[in-house]
Amino acid sequence: MRIKRVAAIAAIAALSLGVTACGGGDEGGTGASGIVGKAQKDKKLVIGVKSDQPGLGLQTGSNYEGFDIEIGKIIAKGLGVDPANIEWKTTVSNNREPFIQQGTVDLVIATYTINDDRKKKVNFAGPYYIAGQDLLVKADSTIAGPEGLEGKKVCSVSGSTPAKKMQTDYPKVQLQQFDSYSKCVNALEGGQVDAVTTDDIILAGYAAQSQYAGKFKVVGKPFTSEPYGIGLKKEDKAGCEKVNEILKTAASDGSYKAAWDNTLGKSGTPAPTLDTSKLTNCG
Amino acid sequence: MHVFTDPVNLDAYLSGFLWILKLTGASALFSLVIGVLLAAARVSPIPVLRAFGAAWVNIFRNTPLTLIIFFCYFGLYTTLGLVLSDDLNLNNYWLGVLGLSVYTAAFVCEAIRSGINTVNAGQAEAARAIGLTFAQTLRIVILPQAGRAVIAPLGSVLIALCKNATIVGTIGVMESSNVMKDLINENGDAVIPIFLVFAGTFAAVLVPTGYFFGWLANRLAVKR
C-alpha cells in the first residue's frame, strides 16, 4: 500500500515535470531562464522600483508604496507569485539597464520610459501609462513652458531621459544634475534652480506632498510623450508577452483602476484608461 | 572598446578628467595655504589660535567628505545663499573646491605639524636667542626645514585629494565618476571595460605622481 502510494506520487511528480519541460520547449527554451520560469520555480520575484517618488514608488521604512508598486503586485499575482514574496529593490534612473542586464532584478517598474536606445539593451512590456515631460516651478513663477527657459537653471536627474532632452533640445538651459529628484525639489524650494523637469505624473506627486503644499505648480504643457514600460531581460520575449497579457486582464477586471485609485488617484486625478492596443509586441 | 571610439563618449571621458584635474589643482593650492596657516596656529603661543587650529582639524578630519560637499551645496548655497558664480557649473565647481579645501587642509596641517616636530628644538631656541619673533622663527627657520621633511606625506595627501575630487559629482559637477555612471548606464554590456579605463586613468596619473614626490623628498630632505 505504502509503496504504491510513493510510486504514485513519484509518477505524478515525473509527469508534471515532463509537462513543464514541454511547456518550456514550446516557448523556445526561454521559459526556464525568463521570469515566467523563475516565478514558477521560486515563487519569488525581485522588482526594481523607485524609492523617492511620491505617488509612484516611495519607500517609507522597509515599506514601498505607489502606483508602480501596485502594478508590480498585479504582475506578480498574474505570474503566480504572492505579493508578499516580492523583493523590492531600489533603482535610480542611472542603474536600471545594468540591473536588468546583470540579473540583479527580474523586472523594473520605475517610471521607465520605453525608447529605442533602451530597447537595444532590454525588453519592454507595457506601456501601462503614458506620461509627458513637464516642468515644476514655484507657484508664483512666470515660466509657461519649455520655450521660456533660456538661460534659466533647470534641475533633473543625471542619466534620465528628461536630462538628455534638455541637453539636446534646449542647450541654452543651465542644467543642474543630481542623482534623485528629491534633491532637485529641495533646490527648487531654496530658489537655486528655476524649474525641475521630468514627467508630469512624477512632478504632480511632489507638488501634492504635504510639506510642499501650495508652494509649487506643474506648468501643465507636456512637451514629450513618455510611455512607461516594464523592463525585463532582452531575451525574455515569453516573459514580456506574459506581462502584457496580465496588463490586458488588469485593464478589464478593474484591478488597474483600483491600483490608480489607491495611489495617484488620491490627488483627485481620475484613472486613465489603459489602452491595450498600444501594448508592445515584445521585439 | 567600442565605447571609447564613439567621439561623444570620448569627449565626455576627457572632460570628466579635466574637471577632476581642475578640482584637484585649485583645492591643492587652497588647502596648502590653509594647511600651513593652520599648522602655524597649532604651534603658536596664542591659546585661541591653538584651539582654533585644533578645532578645525578635529571637525573636518573626522567628518565624511560626502557630508562636507553636501553641506557646501545644501547648507551654504541652498540655505545660506552663498553664491560663488552666476554660472551653474562654475558655482558647483567652486562649492566643490571649497569643500575639498577645508577638508584637505586638515590633513595638510597635520602633515606639516609632524614636520615641525622633526626640527630640533635648539633651532627654535637659537632663533629666539638672536631676537627673531615667533612669526620670523617659523617662516625663516622652522617651516623651510619642516616642509622638506613632509614632502612625501604631502604627496600622499595630494593623491588622496585627486581621488576625493570624484565626490564633487554628487552636487552635479560632471566629473569622471559621473561620466562613468552615464557611460555604464548607456553601455550596460561593457561595465568592466569602462570601469578598467577609468580606474586605469587614475592609476596612470597618480602612480607617477607618487614616484615624483618620492624623488623630490629624497632630493630635498635635510640630511641629519
Side-chain angles (χ1 to χ4, degrees):
Chain A
M1 221 25 216
R2 195 160 186 86
I3 292 169
K4 257 189 191 165
R5 192 182 287 165
V6 171
I9 290 169
I12 290 167
L15 209 66
S16 58
L17 270 176
V19 169
T20 23
C22 278
D26 287 342
E27 287 158 14
T30 53
S33 63
I35 52 160
V36 178
K38 190 190 165 185
Q40 264 171 8
K41 206 168 64 181
D42 302 350
K43 298 282 169 205
K44 264 188 201 151
L45 277 178
V46 184
I47 301 183
V49 291
K50 291 271 175 82
S51 65
D52 62 344
Q53 287 179 350
L56 283 152
L58 186 69
Q59 186 181 15
T60 41
S62 61
N63 193 32
Y64 288 82
E65 56 189 23
F67 184 56
D68 279 348
I69 309 298
E70 294 304 314
I71 294 289
K73 286 180 187 164
I74 290 172
I75 286 161
K77 225 179 272 173
L79 288 167
V81 173
D82 184 349
N85 290 335
I86 302 173
E87 185 192 331
W88 304 105
K89 195 155 233 147
T90 299
T91 58
V92 295
S93 294
N94 239 319
N95 65 15
R96 291 178 296 197
E97 279 103 15
F99 268 24
I100 294 172
Q101 286 174 323
Q102 294 159 2
T104 314
V105 298
D106 299 312
L107 294 169
V108 165
I109 310 173
T111 62
Y112 199 9
T113 301
I114 303 174
N115 66 32
D116 289 342
D117 267 358
R118 288 173 178 164
K119 269 194 207 159
K120 285 180 204 152
K121 291 157 207 149
V122 298
N123 212 333
F124 281 106
Y128 58 94
Y129 180 82
I130 294 174
Q133 186 174 349
D134 209 328
L135 300 166
L136 183 72
V137 294
K138 285 206 165 168
D140 56 359
S141 170
T142 54
I143 295 172
E147 289 73 30
L149 285 178
E150 210 156 285
K152 291 263 177 15
K153 291 167 184 154
V154 179
C155 190
S156 195
V157 161
S158 56
S160 67
T161 327
K164 289 260 145 61
K165 176 90 180 163
M166 276 290 130
Q167 284 171 323
T168 52
D169 292 12
Y170 305 94
K172 287 197 173 138
V173 165
Q174 294 195 56
L175 188 64
Q176 166 76 50
Q177 301 191 57
F178 285 127
D179 56 4
S180 75
Y181 290 112
S182 36
K183 286 177 195 155
C184 280
V185 175
N186 202 330
L188 178 66
E189 192 188 18
Q192 282 72 45
V193 297
D194 302 299
V196 178
T197 184
T198 183
D199 303 340
D200 45 9
I201 184 174
I202 302 173
L203 297 175
Y206 281 113
Q209 271 189 307
S210 55
Q211 72 264 40
Y212 298 129
K215 281 188 184 168
F216 303 138
K217 65 177 181 199
V218 180
V219 168
K221 269 195 197 159
F223 45 97
T224 62
S225 172
E226 309 287 344
Y228 282 173
I230 293 157
L232 28 73
K233 274 205 171 131
K234 177 84 182 139
E235 57 273 13
D236 192 8
K237 197 164 170 1
C240 173
E241 278 160 358
K242 178 72 183 164
V243 171
N244 274 346
E245 234 171 78
I246 296 167
L247 284 177
K248 232 178 254 180
T249 316
S252 55
D253 72 2
S255 51
Y256 178 82
K257 187 176 181 303
W260 179 278
D261 290 344
N262 288 330
T263 54
L264 289 167
K266 285 179 184 160
S267 68
T269 320
T273 45
L274 176 57
D275 186 352
T276 53
S277 68
K278 288 212 173 86
L279 292 177
T280 57
N281 52 13
C282 295
Chain B
M1 292 320 247
H2 64 280
V3 176
F4 293 98
T5 50
D6 180 344
V8 177
N9 291 349
L10 191 66
D11 268 4
Y13 161 76
L14 291 176
S15 93
F17 272 97
L18 193 62
W19 276 116
I20 290 288
L21 292 182
K22 285 195 220 167
L23 285 164
T24 308
S27 309
L29 205 67
F30 285 122
S31 58
L32 186 64
V33 173
I34 303 170
V36 169
L37 292 176
L38 282 175
R42 289 207 74 175
V43 298
S44 75
I46 304 161
V48 179
L49 279 182
R50 284 206 302 271
F52 173 77
W56 184 301
V57 167
N58 283 314
I59 290 171
F60 290 115
R61 192 175 57 178
N62 297 310
T63 308
L65 180 58
T66 319
L67 281 187
I68 294 176
I69 299 288
F70 238 73
F71 178 78
C72 285
Y73 192 96
F74 286 102
L76 295 181
Y77 176 51
T78 305
T79 311
L80 300 176
L82 176 77
V83 178
L84 298 174
S85 166
D86 283 335
D87 183 273
L88 193 71
N89 282 327
L90 280 180
N91 189 50
N92 292 348
Y93 165 75
W94 285 117
L95 288 169
V97 168
L98 177 69
L100 285 172
S101 299
V102 297
Y103 176 78
T104 311
F107 292 89
V108 172
C109 164
E110 288 306 273
I112 289 177
R113 202 163 65 100
S114 77
I116 291 173
N117 288 335
T118 68
V119 180
N120 198 313
Q123 297 265 340
E125 285 159 10
R128 298 308 292 269
I130 60 169
L132 297 183
T133 64
F134 170 74
Q136 283 170 327
T137 308
L138 203 61
R139 191 162 45 90
I140 302 169
V141 179
I142 311 277
L143 277 182
Q145 297 183 62
R148 290 162 164 217
V150 296
I151 288 172
L154 281 184
S156 301
V157 172
L158 180 69
I159 289 171
L161 167 64
C162 180
K163 294 183 291 179
N164 286 341
T166 52
I167 291 179
V168 180
T170 56
I171 58 169
V173 175
M174 286 308 284
E175 47 63 54
S176 61
S177 76
N178 254 349
V179 173
M180 187 175 90
K181 269 198 292 182
D182 258 19
L183 288 184
I184 288 179
N185 176 35
E186 284 161 29
N187 305 278
D189 51 343
V191 173
I192 305 288
I194 293 172
F195 173 77
L196 288 179
V197 166
F198 277 85
T201 310
F202 271 106
V205 174
L206 294 179
V207 169
T209 308
Y211 277 110
F212 172 71
F213 273 88
W215 172 80
L216 208 63
N218 270 332
R219 250 185 91 90
L220 298 180
V222 178
K223 300 282 188 286
R224 293 197 176 91

